[in-house]
Amino acid sequence: MIIAFIRTVVLYLLIIAGIRVMGKKQVGELEPTELVLAMLISDLAAVPMQDFGIPLLFGVVPIITLLCLTMILSVLTVKSRRLRLLLCGRPSILVEKGKLLQRELTRNRMTPEELLEELRLQGVTDLSLVRYAILETSGRVSVLLYADQQPATARQLSLAPEEPGLPLTVIEDGHVRRENLRRRGLNLAWLEKELSRQGVPSAKEVYLMTVDENMGVYLARKEGAQ
């Protein structure tokens, strides 16, 4: 039982470390090479976990090899556009100026109903409003509406809204993040005063509190806190 536990932990930590080394891009989206990697690693890791007669290295070495090969391919695809097109393919335009490109849908084995579902997920129900709908190499559909259908920006409305900047978390689940307080030029005295102003007796009753660059405060109390 102890051996099974140790083998499982080693393989788990190895895979986590490998995915971290590969970078956030691979974690955030699965292109063909990453999908193949995930499938192979799951099979390679399962065998040493279940069969104690197989040396642990028989699982570790192939996994490390696959991770190294994937990282090498990632570097090469950045440097070589041809290799990237070969391994990952290229984006496909499915809708152009409100018109369905049926040949592209068929080539990508995508039905009109599946496309409509992707459009609905992005809040689009009328194909005639779509200037371009593009199937990306990650499998996601990017939708570009006509200019007159896009939400108006502050610049277009001749407005000059104040930039709030990046909010920093100063309290998370009752715990004070002192380093973020210091980054905002604040201290515990300010925090206690702000909590008192908002009628909160202590930080332990706060689920989330953030402060942006303009000292704008967002505070959410824990459910059930009075």
CSV table of all heavy atoms in Angstrom, one decimal, residues 48-89:
chain,number,residue,atom,x,y,z
A,48,PRO,N,2.2,2.2,-14.4
A,48,PRO,CA,3.0,2.0,-13.2
A,48,PRO,C,2.3,2.1,-11.9
A,48,PRO,O,2.6,1.6,-10.9
A,48,PRO,CB,4.1,3.1,-13.3
A,48,PRO,CG,4.1,3.5,-14.7
A,48,PRO,CD,2.7,3.3,-15.2
A,49,MET,N,1.2,2.9,-11.9
A,49,MET,CA,0.3,3.0,-10.7
A,49,MET,C,-0.4,1.7,-10.4
A,49,MET,O,-0.6,1.4,-9.2
A,49,MET,CB,-0.7,4.1,-10.9
A,49,MET,CG,-0.1,5.5,-10.9
A,49,MET,SD,-1.5,6.7,-11.0
A,49,MET,CE,-0.5,8.3,-11.2
A,50,GLN,N,-0.8,1.0,-11.4
A,50,GLN,CA,-1.6,-0.2,-11.2
A,50,GLN,C,-0.8,-1.5,-11.1
A,50,GLN,O,-1.1,-2.4,-10.4
A,50,GLN,CB,-2.6,-0.3,-12.3
A,50,GLN,CG,-3.6,0.8,-12.4
A,50,GLN,CD,-4.5,0.8,-13.6
A,50,GLN,OE1,-4.3,0.0,-14.5
A,50,GLN,NE2,-5.5,1.7,-13.7
A,51,ASP,N,0.3,-1.6,-11.9
A,51,ASP,CA,1.1,-2.8,-12.0
A,51,ASP,C,2.4,-2.6,-11.2
A,51,ASP,O,3.3,-1.9,-11.7
A,51,ASP,CB,1.4,-3.2,-13.4
A,51,ASP,CG,2.0,-4.5,-13.6
A,51,ASP,OD1,2.4,-5.1,-12.5
A,51,ASP,OD2,2.0,-5.1,-14.7
A,52,PHE,N,2.5,-3.1,-10.0
A,52,PHE,CA,3.7,-2.9,-9.2
A,52,PHE,C,4.9,-3.7,-9.7
A,52,PHE,O,6.1,-3.5,-9.3
A,52,PHE,CB,3.5,-3.3,-7.7
A,52,PHE,CG,2.4,-2.5,-7.1
A,52,PHE,CD1,1.7,-2.9,-6.0
A,52,PHE,CD2,2.1,-1.2,-7.6
A,52,PHE,CE1,0.8,-2.2,-5.4
A,52,PHE,CE2,1.1,-0.5,-7.0
A,52,PHE,CZ,0.4,-0.9,-5.9
A,53,GLY,N,4.7,-4.6,-10.7
A,53,GLY,CA,5.8,-5.4,-11.3
A,53,GLY,C,6.6,-4.6,-12.3
A,53,GLY,O,7.7,-5.0,-12.7
A,54,ILE,N,6.0,-3.5,-12.7
A,54,ILE,CA,6.7,-2.6,-13.7
A,54,ILE,C,7.5,-1.6,-12.9
A,54,ILE,O,7.0,-0.9,-12.1
A,54,ILE,CB,5.7,-1.9,-14.6
A,54,ILE,CG1,4.9,-3.0,-15.4
A,54,ILE,CG2,6.4,-1.0,-15.5
A,54,ILE,CD1,3.8,-2.4,-16.3
A,55,PRO,N,8.8,-1.5,-13.2
A,55,PRO,CA,9.6,-0.5,-12.5
A,55,PRO,C,9.1,0.9,-12.8
A,55,PRO,O,8.6,1.3,-13.8
A,55,PRO,CB,11.0,-0.6,-13.2
A,55,PRO,CG,11.0,-2.0,-13.7
A,55,PRO,CD,9.6,-2.3,-14.1
A,56,LEU,N,9.2,1.8,-11.7
A,56,LEU,CA,8.7,3.1,-11.8
A,56,LEU,C,9.3,3.9,-12.9
A,56,LEU,O,8.7,4.7,-13.6
A,56,LEU,CB,8.9,3.8,-10.5
A,56,LEU,CG,8.3,5.3,-10.3
A,56,LEU,CD1,6.8,5.2,-10.6
A,56,LEU,CD2,8.6,5.9,-9.0
A,57,LEU,N,10.6,3.6,-13.2
A,57,LEU,CA,11.3,4.4,-14.3
A,57,LEU,C,10.7,4.1,-15.6
A,57,LEU,O,10.8,5.0,-16.5
A,57,LEU,CB,12.8,4.0,-14.3
A,57,LEU,CG,13.7,4.6,-13.2
A,57,LEU,CD1,15.1,4.1,-13.3
A,57,LEU,CD2,13.7,6.1,-13.3
A,58,PHE,N,10.0,3.0,-15.8
A,58,PHE,CA,9.4,2.7,-17.1
A,58,PHE,C,8.2,3.6,-17.4
A,58,PHE,O,7.8,3.8,-18.5
A,58,PHE,CB,8.9,1.2,-17.1
A,58,PHE,CG,9.9,0.2,-17.4
A,58,PHE,CD1,11.2,0.4,-16.9
A,58,PHE,CD2,9.7,-1.0,-18.0
A,58,PHE,CE1,12.2,-0.5,-17.2
A,58,PHE,CE2,10.6,-1.9,-18.3
A,58,PHE,CZ,11.9,-1.7,-17.9
A,59,GLY,N,7.7,4.3,-16.3
A,59,GLY,CA,6.7,5.3,-16.5
A,59,GLY,C,7.3,6.7,-16.5
A,59,GLY,O,6.8,7.5,-17.3
A,60,VAL,N,8.3,6.9,-15.7
A,60,VAL,CA,8.9,8.2,-15.5
A,60,VAL,C,9.6,8.6,-16.8
A,60,VAL,O,9.5,9.8,-17.3
A,60,VAL,CB,9.8,8.3,-14.3
A,60,VAL,CG1,10.6,9.6,-14.3
A,60,VAL,CG2,9.0,8.1,-13.0
A,61,VAL,N,10.5,7.8,-17.3
A,61,VAL,CA,11.3,8.1,-18.5
A,61,VAL,C,10.5,8.5,-19.7
A,61,VAL,O,10.7,9.5,-20.3
A,61,VAL,CB,12.3,7.0,-18.8
A,61,VAL,CG1,13.0,7.3,-20.1
A,61,VAL,CG2,13.3,6.8,-17.7
A,62,PRO,N,9.4,7.7,-20.1
A,62,PRO,CA,8.6,8.1,-21.3
A,62,PRO,C,7.9,9.4,-21.0
A,62,PRO,O,7.8,10.2,-22.0
A,62,PRO,CB,7.6,6.9,-21.4
A,62,PRO,CG,8.3,5.8,-20.8
A,62,PRO,CD,9.0,6.3,-19.6
A,63,ILE,N,7.4,9.7,-19.8
A,63,ILE,CA,6.7,10.9,-19.5
A,63,ILE,C,7.7,12.1,-19.7
A,63,ILE,O,7.3,13.1,-20.3
A,63,ILE,CB,6.1,10.9,-18.1
A,63,ILE,CG1,4.9,9.9,-18.1
A,63,ILE,CG2,5.6,12.3,-17.7
A,63,ILE,CD1,4.3,9.7,-16.7
A,64,ILE,N,8.9,12.0,-19.1
A,64,ILE,CA,9.9,13.1,-19.3
A,64,ILE,C,10.2,13.3,-20.7
A,64,ILE,O,10.4,14.4,-21.2
A,64,ILE,CB,11.1,12.8,-18.4
A,64,ILE,CG1,10.8,12.8,-16.9
A,64,ILE,CG2,12.2,13.8,-18.7
A,64,ILE,CD1,11.9,12.5,-16.0
A,65,THR,N,10.4,12.2,-21.5
A,65,THR,CA,10.7,12.3,-22.9
A,65,THR,C,9.6,13.0,-23.7
A,65,THR,O,9.9,13.9,-24.5
A,65,THR,CB,10.8,10.9,-23.5
A,65,THR,OG1,11.9,10.2,-22.8
A,65,THR,CG2,11.2,10.9,-25.0
A,66,LEU,N,8.3,12.7,-23.4
A,66,LEU,CA,7.2,13.4,-24.0
A,66,LEU,C,7.2,14.8,-23.7
A,66,LEU,O,6.9,15.7,-24.6
A,66,LEU,CB,5.9,12.7,-23.7
A,66,LEU,CG,5.6,11.3,-24.3
A,66,LEU,CD1,4.3,10.7,-23.7
A,66,LEU,CD2,5.4,11.5,-25.8
A,67,LEU,N,7.4,15.2,-22.4
A,67,LEU,CA,7.4,16.6,-22.0
A,67,LEU,C,8.5,17.4,-22.7
A,67,LEU,O,8.3,18.5,-23.2
A,67,LEU,CB,7.5,16.7,-20.5
A,67,LEU,CG,6.3,16.2,-19.7
A,67,LEU,CD1,6.6,16.2,-18.2
A,67,LEU,CD2,5.1,17.1,-19.9
A,68,CYS,N,9.7,16.8,-22.8
A,68,CYS,CA,10.8,17.4,-23.4
A,68,CYS,C,10.5,17.6,-24.9
A,68,CYS,O,10.8,18.7,-25.5
A,68,CYS,CB,12.1,16.6,-23.2
A,68,CYS,SG,12.7,16.6,-21.5
A,69,LEU,N,10.0,16.6,-25.5
A,69,LEU,CA,9.6,16.6,-27.0
A,69,LEU,C,8.6,17.7,-27.2
A,69,LEU,O,8.7,18.5,-28.2
A,69,LEU,CB,9.1,15.3,-27.5
A,69,LEU,CG,8.7,15.2,-29.0
A,69,LEU,CD1,9.9,15.5,-29.8
A,69,LEU,CD2,8.2,13.8,-29.3
A,70,THR,N,7.6,17.8,-26.4
A,70,THR,CA,6.6,18.9,-26.5
A,70,THR,C,7.2,20.3,-26.4
A,70,THR,O,6.8,21.2,-27.2
A,70,THR,CB,5.4,18.7,-25.5
A,70,THR,OG1,4.9,17.4,-25.7
A,70,THR,CG2,4.4,19.7,-25.7
A,71,MET,N,8.1,20.4,-25.4
A,71,MET,CA,8.7,21.8,-25.2
A,71,MET,C,9.6,22.1,-26.4
A,71,MET,O,9.6,23.3,-26.9
A,71,MET,CB,9.5,21.8,-23.9
A,71,MET,CG,8.6,21.9,-22.7
A,71,MET,SD,9.6,22.1,-21.2
A,71,MET,CE,10.3,20.4,-21.0
A,72,ILE,N,10.3,21.1,-27.0
A,72,ILE,CA,11.1,21.4,-28.2
A,72,ILE,C,10.2,21.8,-29.3
A,72,ILE,O,10.5,22.7,-30.1
A,72,ILE,CB,11.9,20.1,-28.5
A,72,ILE,CG1,13.0,19.9,-27.4
A,72,ILE,CG2,12.6,20.3,-29.9
A,72,ILE,CD1,13.7,18.6,-27.6
A,73,LEU,N,9.1,21.1,-29.5
A,73,LEU,CA,8.2,21.4,-30.6
A,73,LEU,C,7.6,22.8,-30.4
A,73,LEU,O,7.3,23.5,-31.4
A,73,LEU,CB,7.1,20.3,-30.7
A,73,LEU,CG,7.5,19.0,-31.3
A,73,LEU,CD1,6.3,18.0,-31.2
A,73,LEU,CD2,8.0,19.1,-32.7
A,74,SER,N,7.3,23.2,-29.2
A,74,SER,CA,6.7,24.5,-28.9
A,74,SER,C,7.7,25.6,-29.3
A,74,SER,O,7.3,26.6,-29.9
A,74,SER,CB,6.4,24.6,-27.4
A,74,SER,OG,5.4,23.7,-27.0
A,75,VAL,N,9.0,25.4,-29.0
A,75,VAL,CA,10.0,26.4,-29.4
A,75,VAL,C,10.1,26.4,-31.0
A,75,VAL,O,10.2,27.5,-31.6
A,75,VAL,CB,11.4,26.0,-28.8
A,75,VAL,CG1,12.4,26.9,-29.4
A,75,VAL,CG2,11.3,26.2,-27.3
A,76,LEU,N,10.1,25.2,-31.6
A,76,LEU,CA,10.3,25.2,-33.0
A,76,LEU,C,9.1,25.8,-33.8
A,76,LEU,O,9.2,26.5,-34.8
A,76,LEU,CB,10.4,23.7,-33.5
A,76,LEU,CG,11.8,23.1,-33.1
A,76,LEU,CD1,11.8,21.6,-33.5
A,76,LEU,CD2,13.0,23.8,-33.6
A,77,THR,N,7.9,25.6,-33.2
A,77,THR,CA,6.7,26.2,-33.9
A,77,THR,C,6.6,27.7,-33.8
A,77,THR,O,6.1,28.4,-34.6
A,77,THR,CB,5.4,25.6,-33.3
A,77,THR,OG1,5.4,25.7,-31.8
A,77,THR,CG2,5.2,24.1,-33.6
A,78,VAL,N,7.3,28.2,-32.7
A,78,VAL,CA,7.4,29.7,-32.6
A,78,VAL,C,8.3,30.2,-33.6
A,78,VAL,O,8.1,31.3,-34.2
A,78,VAL,CB,7.9,30.1,-31.2
A,78,VAL,CG1,8.2,31.6,-31.1
A,78,VAL,CG2,6.8,29.8,-30.1
A,79,LYS,N,9.4,29.5,-33.9
A,79,LYS,CA,10.4,30.0,-34.9
A,79,LYS,C,10.0,29.6,-36.3
A,79,LYS,O,10.5,30.3,-37.3
A,79,LYS,CB,11.7,29.4,-34.5
A,79,LYS,CG,12.3,29.8,-33.2
A,79,LYS,CD,13.6,29.2,-32.9
A,79,LYS,CE,14.2,29.7,-31.6
A,79,LYS,NZ,14.4,31.1,-31.6
A,80,SER,N,9.2,28.6,-36.5
A,80,SER,CA,8.9,28.2,-37.9
A,80,SER,C,7.4,28.2,-38.1
A,80,SER,O,6.7,27.4,-37.5
A,80,SER,CB,9.4,26.7,-38.2
A,80,SER,OG,9.0,26.2,-39.4
A,81,ARG,N,6.9,29.1,-39.0
A,81,ARG,CA,5.5,29.2,-39.3
A,81,ARG,C,5.0,27.9,-40.0
A,81,ARG,O,3.9,27.4,-39.8
A,81,ARG,CB,5.2,30.4,-40.1
A,81,ARG,CG,3.7,30.6,-40.4
A,81,ARG,CD,3.5,31.9,-41.1
A,81,ARG,NE,2.1,32.1,-41.4
A,81,ARG,CZ,1.5,31.7,-42.5
A,81,ARG,NH1,2.2,31.0,-43.4
A,81,ARG,NH2,0.2,31.9,-42.7
A,82,ARG,N,5.9,27.4,-40.9
A,82,ARG,CA,5.5,26.2,-41.7
A,82,ARG,C,5.2,25.0,-40.7
A,82,ARG,O,4.3,24.2,-40.9
A,82,ARG,CB,6.6,25.8,-42.7
A,82,ARG,CG,6.6,26.8,-43.9
A,82,ARG,CD,7.7,26.3,-44.9
A,82,ARG,NE,7.7,27.2,-46.0
A,82,ARG,CZ,8.5,27.1,-47.1
A,82,ARG,NH1,9.3,26.0,-47.1
A,82,ARG,NH2,8.5,27.9,-48.1
A,83,LEU,N,6.1,24.8,-39.8
A,83,LEU,CA,6.0,23.7,-38.8
A,83,LEU,C,4.7,23.9,-38.0
A,83,LEU,O,4.0,22.9,-37.7
A,83,LEU,CB,7.2,23.6,-37.9
A,83,LEU,CG,7.2,22.5,-36.9
A,83,LEU,CD1,7.1,21.1,-37.6
A,83,LEU,CD2,8.4,22.5,-36.0
A,84,ARG,N,4.4,25.1,-37.6
A,84,ARG,CA,3.2,25.4,-36.8
A,84,ARG,C,2.0,25.0,-37.6
A,84,ARG,O,1.0,24.4,-37.1
A,84,ARG,CB,3.2,26.8,-36.4
A,84,ARG,CG,1.9,27.2,-35.6
A,84,ARG,CD,1.9,28.5,-35.0
A,84,ARG,NE,0.6,28.8,-34.4
A,84,ARG,CZ,0.2,28.3,-33.2
A,84,ARG,NH1,1.0,27.5,-32.6
A,84,ARG,NH2,-1.0,28.7,-32.8
A,85,LEU,N,2.0,25.4,-38.9
A,85,LEU,CA,0.8,25.1,-39.8
A,85,LEU,C,0.7,23.6,-39.9
A,85,LEU,O,-0.5,23.1,-40.0
A,85,LEU,CB,1.0,25.8,-41.1
A,85,LEU,CG,0.9,27.3,-41.1
A,85,LEU,CD1,1.1,27.8,-42.6
A,85,LEU,CD2,-0.5,27.8,-40.7
A,86,LEU,N,1.8,22.9,-40.0
A,86,LEU,CA,1.8,21.5,-40.2
A,86,LEU,C,1.2,20.8,-38.9
A,86,LEU,O,0.4,19.9,-39.0
A,86,LEU,CB,3.2,20.9,-40.5
A,86,LEU,CG,3.3,19.4,-40.6
A,86,LEU,CD1,2.5,18.9,-41.8
A,86,LEU,CD2,4.8,19.0,-40.8
A,87,LEU,N,1.6,21.2,-37.7
A,87,LEU,CA,1.2,20.6,-36.5
A,87,LEU,C,-0.1,21.0,-36.0
A,87,LEU,O,-0.9,20.2,-35.4
A,87,LEU,CB,2.3,20.8,-35.4
A,87,LEU,CG,3.7,20.1,-35.7
A,87,LEU,CD1,4.6,20.5,-34.5
A,87,LEU,CD2,3.5,18.6,-35.8
A,88,CYS,N,-0.4,22.3,-36.1
A,88,CYS,CA,-1.6,22.9,-35.4
A,88,CYS,C,-2.6,23.3,-36.4
A,88,CYS,O,-3.8,23.6,-36.0
A,88,CYS,CB,-1.2,24.1,-34.6
A,88,CYS,SG,0.1,23.8,-33.4
A,89,GLY,N,-2.3,23.3,-37.7
A,89,GLY,CA,-3.3,23.8,-38.7
A,89,GLY,C,-3.4,25.3,-38.7
A,89,GLY,O,-2.6,26.0,-38.1
